[in-house]
Amino acid sequence: MEPTTDRGVRVSCEGGVARVVLCRPERRNAFDDDVIARLTEVVTHLSGDRDVRVIVLEGEGKAFSAGADLDWMRRMVTASREDNVADALRLANLYEALHCAPKAVIAKVHGAALGGGAGLVAAADVAVAAEGTVLGFTEARLGILPAVISPYAGMKIGAGHARRWFVTGARMDAAEAQRIGLVHEVVPADELEAATKRLAFDVLQCGPQAVGHCKELVEDVVGGLAMAGALEDGFENVKTYTATRIAEARVSAEGQEGLKAFLEKRRPRWAQ
């Protein structure tokens, strides 16, 4: 697939890996309503493309994403409550599209990921950052809230860390982001691309359907069903659900191929 650029987003695909690049370097890849709409379209399209197995989200220039574009913020200051709700829902839809995509989403982070940019990192499945990267949920310093990114940040870093970083609006370095779980790996800047390719390669060794189902499993068990443990039969529900999921995977075409390949000491058909 030849790279295409539209509304501040460049997309290319090679070997099952789609590269989605924020390309507004003059604005540190800050996003506005147009970029949000385009990103949502791109992620939704890639989610339905059988040839795509990994989505890498990155930024051009000196920063991953500085968050909200200043001109966009000025417009929303004078917008009505109803218009602000509609605008925020569009941003929420973007994070949901990334979080729920049936593909592995890798955030390749450098420079800065602030506000909504940190939200993109939180919504990704895996995040690798260059040393020297600065991240932060900085909304409170503007008198607003990291509201639509809070479900994804909370799942990644937990309530305790979310409170600490939300209420201070402070910036953290990449090492701290890794310590609290927002970022999974930190590497020297000149190794960032190689680390991203390695992570993508790891995903490509997994069953394409299994990857999507793994994401569903985490969402259901960690984000949903585990909470039912407060109910009398909550843990029984979790046990039954997880046992059913593994049984379905074992008898699926992909599961049969993977298990047979392991027993026959060969690579499964999907592995690259």
Side-chain angles (χ1 to χ4, degrees):
M1 173 182 174
E2 290 297 321
T4 59
T5 304
D6 181 27
R7 289 178 284 168
V9 180
R10 184 169 65 251
V11 185
S12 62
C13 186
E14 182 178 359
V17 179
R19 296 280 186 145
V20 180
V21 184
L22 295 168
C23 50
R24 305 179 80 212
E26 73 286 354
R27 292 181 177 259
R28 302 180 73 207
N29 296 317
F31 46 77
D32 57 13
D33 48 354
D34 205 29
V35 173
I36 291 167
R38 178 58 182 159
L39 264 179
T40 306
E41 291 171 6
V42 167
V43 173
T44 301
H45 172 76
L46 294 174
S47 293
D49 188 335
R50 295 183 62 181
D51 293 330
V52 172
R53 296 172 57 187
V54 182
I55 299 172
V56 175
L57 184 61
E58 54 191 297
E60 183 180 288
K62 295 182 179 180
F64 174 74
S65 176
D69 181 89
L70 290 177
D71 290 339
W72 177 43
M73 293 174 68
R74 288 190 187 97
R75 293 200 307 272
M76 299 323 298
V77 165
T78 59
S80 67
R81 180 184 184 280
E82 291 73 19
D83 287 343
N84 266 285
V85 169
D87 183 78
L89 281 172
R90 286 189 286 270
L91 182 57
N93 288 338
L94 168 59
Y95 293 124
E96 182 180 43
L98 285 166
H99 179 73
C100 297
K103 323 284 184 177
V105 178
I106 300 173
K108 177 187 175 186
V109 192
H110 75 288
L114 303 173
L120 295 175
V121 178
D125 300 305
V126 186
V128 56
E131 293 174 351
T133 302
V134 176
L135 305 94
F137 303 102
T138 53
E139 287 86 349
R141 297 204 172 192
L142 303 177
I144 57 177
L145 313 174
V148 297
I149 66 178
S150 60
Y152 313 106
M155 184 178 290
K156 275 283 177 64
I157 67 178
H161 289 306
R163 282 177 180 261
R164 184 258 189 268
W165 293 103
F166 284 11
V167 304
T168 63
R171 300 183 180 195
M172 69 186 87
D173 61 21
E176 176 66 9
Q178 182 180 30
R179 188 185 73 82
I180 67 175
L182 180 60
V183 165
H184 300 97
E185 292 189 33
V186 178
V187 299
D190 60 359
E191 297 177 16
L192 183 59
E193 175 63 14
T196 303
K197 287 182 176 179
R198 172 176 48 79
L199 288 166
F201 178 81
D202 287 343
V203 175
L204 294 174
Q205 308 318 299
C206 301
Q209 294 180 29
V211 169
H213 291 160
C214 282
K215 293 182 66 167
E216 291 176 356
L217 187 67
V218 173
E219 180 70 16
D220 291 341
V221 175
V222 179
L225 287 179
M227 298 302 294
L231 304 176
E232 183 176 348
D233 62 347
F235 290 112
E236 289 300 321
N237 287 341
V238 174
K239 286 193 296 184
T240 301
Y241 171 78
T242 54
T244 301
R245 290 303 301 266
I246 185 59
E248 291 172 344
R250 287 172 181 166
V251 300
S252 70
E254 188 171 279
Q256 291 282 298
E257 165 62 11
L259 292 170
K260 288 177 181 177
F262 175 77
L263 294 172
E264 295 167 6
K265 297 182 179 180
R266 61 175 174 84
R267 292 163 65 85
R269 287 193 297 267
W270 61 73
Q272 296 189 12

